Amino acid sequence: MTEPQIRFVDGASYERFMGAWSQQVGTEFLAWVAPEPGWRWLDVGCGNGAFTELLVDRCAPAAIDGIDPAPAQLEYARARPSLQHATLRQGDAMAMPYAGAAFDAAVMPLVVFFVPEPARGVAEMVRVVRPGGVVAAYAWDMANAGFPYAALHDEMRASGMTIGMPPSPEASRDDLLRALWIDAGLVDVRTREITATRRYASMDEYWEIISGWRTIAAQFAEQPAGVVERLRARMEEVLQPSADGSVTRTATANAVTGRVPA
């Protein structure tokens, strides 16, 4: 069976599903990259602006541009008060509408595995960043169950459901990220692992959030009677809520950074 295509059409549901995870990893990622204030930033695959907002809050940027293929995500991002002065446009990570050396830094937050040809996306970031500037990314470690909802996806597949996958999941591996950056001609390439933990107040909250994500909701809607109920019961066994009813999950991302040769 062909797996469904992942579509990002609802910035609000994405915020609840992934935004909190993205910002937690993004905060540690930016501390590791250690950017200087006053940079011109490009957020490639800016989505609903969860990471873009961190750039404003933590990096004292001179300017921020963002590019994303999903109009609904961009609409949500533009509504964030902190992004009123950011320039956010629809576009393709493999053919970006920017002049060469236009930015001091370009970053792909949780995006590189969604690029059909990751090497082209990295090459575009290198093209638009000035000599000596930074090109960086982080991605959920898909190969090692680092995705925040990996356990849910496993149980959904076991229940006969199909799960949409990004076109280039292998690009999230630490060794392949390093190779992509080196092959693109970047220097001072570094990688690291970042771990994030999220607490859901209850199993009800966890289930409401995952059920509100369009890709999962579409799968649930197609199931025969009883399948979704049994899946929820199974997930409660897997997640093992604590004595106060809360659910705590851990996820892992791989990060990479390098510089354009001066």
Side-chain angles (χ1 to χ4, degrees):
M1 182 180 295
T2 301
E3 291 192 336
Q5 183 179 356
I6 301 172
R7 295 184 182 276
F8 298 101
V9 297
D10 185 342
S13 67
Y14 181 86
E15 180 73 2
R16 298 195 71 205
F17 185 75
M18 191 57 67
W21 286 105
S22 177
Q23 291 194 330
Q24 186 180 156
V25 176
T27 297
E28 189 165 345
F29 169 79
L30 285 173
W32 174 64
V33 172
E36 298 175 11
W39 280 3
R40 299 160 300 165
W41 284 86
L42 173 61
D43 185 353
V44 182
C46 62
N48 78 347
F51 179 82
T52 325
E53 194 168 59
L54 287 178
L55 295 176
V56 174
D57 293 344
R58 297 177 179 273
C59 298
I64 295 180
D65 279 62
I67 187 170
D68 196 89
Q73 293 282 76
L74 289 167
E75 181 179 357
Y76 188 95
R78 293 185 184 115
R80 292 180 185 266
S82 64
L83 299 185
Q84 296 308 297
H85 299 293
T87 301
L88 308 176
R89 67 175 73 178
Q90 188 175 5
D92 184 347
M94 297 187 297
M96 294 191 285
Y98 304 107
F103 301 97
D104 299 296
V107 61
M108 275 189 178
L110 303 179
V111 169
V112 67
F113 41 39
F114 284 110
V115 180
E117 297 178 52
R120 286 182 60 189
V122 178
E124 275 291 88
M125 288 198 292
V126 174
R127 180 183 68 80
V128 301
V129 170
R130 63 165 171 81
V134 168
V135 173
Y138 61 91
W140 299 121
D141 189 352
M142 305 296 286
N144 295 298
F147 182 61
Y149 300 101
L152 172 68
H153 283 184
D154 287 346
E155 295 302 325
M156 288 176 69
R157 291 189 182 97
S159 298
M161 302 181 202
T162 53
I163 305 299
M165 288 293 290
S168 308
E170 69 286 348
S172 67
R173 285 171 35 190
D174 177 271
D175 59 332
L176 291 186
L177 281 173
R178 179 182 292 274
L180 280 168
W181 259 239
I182 291 173
D183 290 348
L186 292 157
V187 298
D188 301 328
V189 175
R190 298 179 291 138
T191 60
R192 66 158 292 186
E193 181 182 279
I194 300 175
T195 299
T197 301
R198 182 176 179 182
R199 180 184 178 275
Y200 302 85
S202 64
M203 186 67 195
D204 285 343
E205 181 185 47
Y206 174 88
W207 198 254
E208 179 188 359
I209 288 171
I210 65 100
S211 300
W213 177 234
R214 182 184 177 92
T215 304
I216 291 175
Q219 284 292 297
F220 284 2
E222 295 175 357
Q223 302 310 306
V227 171
V228 175
E229 290 75 11
R230 288 192 293 273
L231 174 64
R232 175 181 167 132
R234 173 58 185 156
M235 284 306 301
E236 192 154 4
E237 293 177 6
V238 170
L239 299 179
Q240 298 181 343
S242 61
D244 66 0
S246 64
V247 171
T248 301
R249 301 303 296 157
T250 298
T252 304
N254 291 319
V256 61
T257 186
R259 288 189 174 273
V260 177

